[in-house]
Amino acid sequence: MKQRILTAFIALIIIAPIIVYGHWPFIVIAYFLATVALFELMRMYHAEKGWLYLLISTVFLWLLLFPSPEIMVYTFTITKFEVIVLFVVLLLTITVLSKNRFTFDQASFLLLATIYIGTAFYFLMNTRFVGLNYFLFILFVIWATDSGAYFVGKAFGKRKLWPDISPNKTIGGAIGGIGIALVVGISFHLIYPFEQSLITIIFITIVISIFGQIGDLVASAIKRHYDVKDSGKIFPGHGGILDRLDSLLFVVIVLHILQFV
């Protein structure tokens, strides 16, 4: 417990000013965290020894993270969709050149991992650049959901939510998490009003709470499938990047699809 508290305190001191300031320091930290997150996924897949593939995936990850929908390369412009298509073509070409030592399954994993991490962190950066209030609102609602789910689940949770994936989560806890999230989300809107109506904020708060919990379950499912306890060890006592940001990464993707940010 002491280690968890110390790690959280140190991380808060380092990251909080970067979140508040934004701009290029936030881009740098996002690139770093995304790169570590990609490595965590590859480590779970036991692909960390394929340094060439990790290098290729990292290059395409950084292209997807580029803080603009389009990338200027010499005299022509390439879109993020074209970056993904180029990555697909390259991976499939490698399966042929390696005579299937690099398999289609490995290519599929690298593609999905890179797109997921790259897209999520790209939207994470966009959220901060839209406004600090949006970023903090999402964080507070996610934290409220986690806290509410834990305490309500402890007190009233009886029926398991999804025991095969996360045996400690309960249906009561999930509902309690949404309830506490609504209290925090509405309070935030009343203190720092958004342009959207209260009804919209209530809807968005519920979306954040639900998909935050789904994101957590997705991360748990991946770890359980690959039989690992934590995605990494970068945060002593807390695990890796994916352990700490699983809900946030999932939520920012959904909110950008809904055009909230």
Side-chain angles (χ1 to χ4, degrees):
M1 178 60 70
K2 290 183 179 180
Q3 187 180 51
R4 287 177 63 88
I5 295 174
L6 179 60
T7 300
F9 180 72
I10 294 174
L12 184 64
I13 291 176
I14 295 173
I15 296 178
I18 296 176
I19 292 176
V20 173
Y21 181 74
H23 303 293
W24 67 265
F26 192 85
I27 295 176
V28 171
I29 196 69
Y31 265 77
F32 171 74
L33 295 178
T35 304
V36 175
L38 178 62
F39 179 77
E40 288 176 354
L41 279 174
M42 292 189 66
R43 185 183 64 84
M44 283 190 278
Y45 189 67
H46 302 295
E48 72 276 6
K49 293 182 180 180
W51 289 106
L52 175 60
Y53 308 133
L54 175 60
L55 178 60
I56 293 172
S57 296
T58 301
V59 170
F60 279 91
L61 172 70
W62 289 357
L63 290 174
L64 291 176
L65 289 174
F66 190 78
S68 172
E70 298 180 338
I71 304 170
M72 181 68 72
V73 181
Y74 295 107
T75 59
F76 65 94
T77 301
I78 183 171
T79 66
K80 295 295 180 68
F81 176 73
E82 290 169 337
V83 168
I84 293 173
V85 172
L86 179 60
F87 190 33
V88 172
V89 171
L90 178 59
L91 289 175
L92 294 178
T93 301
I94 292 175
T95 63
V96 174
L97 296 178
S98 67
K99 298 180 180 179
N100 268 340
R101 287 192 297 272
F102 177 73
T103 66
F104 185 81
D105 287 344
Q106 289 174 298
S108 301
F109 178 87
L110 287 184
L111 178 65
L112 181 58
T114 304
I115 291 176
Y116 173 56
I117 297 300
T119 302
F121 274 94
Y122 172 73
F123 286 146
L124 184 68
M125 289 189 291
N126 275 4
T127 301
R128 172 59 190 90
F129 299 147
V130 167
L132 180 60
N133 58 333
Y134 284 89
F135 194 86
L136 292 179
F137 172 74
I138 295 170
L139 284 181
F140 288 166
V141 172
I142 288 175
W143 291 339
T145 299
D146 289 343
S147 300
Y150 177 79
F151 290 109
V152 175
K154 282 286 187 180
F156 304 106
K158 294 181 180 180
R159 296 185 62 182
K160 297 297 183 180
L161 178 63
W162 210 307
D164 292 337
I165 294 178
S166 187
N168 294 326
K169 288 182 172 57
T170 64
I171 295 176
I175 296 173
I178 296 173
I180 300 300
L182 280 170
V183 173
V184 171
I186 293 172
S187 299
F188 191 101
H189 177 65
L190 294 176
I191 297 172
Y192 299 104
F194 291 96
E195 295 179 356
Q196 295 86 346
S197 67
L198 177 59
I199 297 299
T200 300
I201 296 302
I202 290 175
F203 170 72
I204 290 298
T205 300
I206 294 174
V207 168
I208 293 173
S209 185
I210 291 175
F211 280 94
Q213 295 185 67
I214 293 175
D216 187 27
L217 288 171
V218 168
S220 296
I222 294 173
K223 288 185 290 185
R224 186 167 291 274
H225 176 74
Y226 290 113
D227 194 26
V228 296
K229 183 177 183 297
D230 296 317
S231 63
K233 300 178 181 179
I234 190 171
F235 298 123
H238 291 266
I241 301 299
L242 295 176
D243 294 310
R244 293 300 89 204
L245 301 182
D246 47 10
S247 297
L248 180 60
L249 297 178
F250 214 77
V251 163
V252 292
I253 293 175
V254 174
L255 292 185
H256 275 77
I257 293 174
L258 295 177
Q259 299 182 7
F260 176 67
V261 287

